Amino acid sequence: MRKPFTNSSGQPIQVQITTPEGVVKTVNGRGHTIFAFPDQSAFVPNSRYYLFSIPQKEIENNPNL
């Protein structure tokens, strides 16, 4: 079960999804179910579990990241 994804007032945050049939729906967002890596270490920058790093040049040149 996922933890609630709520705003500062405790209300569910609404997100839009597109179903496989192409229908756009607004639903309550859901938080993460996993809070640690397989070795039980916490999510941290540069973990060995991250498979693909974003190149520094891409980070510098892409304001959408």
Side-chain angles (χ1 to χ4, degrees):
M1 182 170 156
R2 291 182 180 238
K3 290 193 170 200
F5 188 50
T6 57
N7 62 21
S8 61
S9 301
Q11 300 299 315
I13 293 176
Q14 299 286 298
V15 297
Q16 287 189 330
I17 63 164
T18 303
T19 68
E21 295 78 28
V23 177
V24 177
K25 296 170 60 175
T26 300
V27 299
N28 291 343
R30 297 185 298 179
H32 293 285
T33 57
I34 299 172
F35 297 99
F37 289 114
D39 67 356
Q40 300 307 306
S41 63
F43 290 125
V44 294
N46 302 315
S47 169
R48 64 188 176 108
Y49 288 103
Y50 297 136
L51 297 177
F52 304 104
S53 63
I54 299 172
Q56 185 63 36
K57 283 289 188 192
E58 185 67 21
I59 293 169
E60 292 169 1
N61 295 317
N62 188 339
N64 296 311
L65 290 178

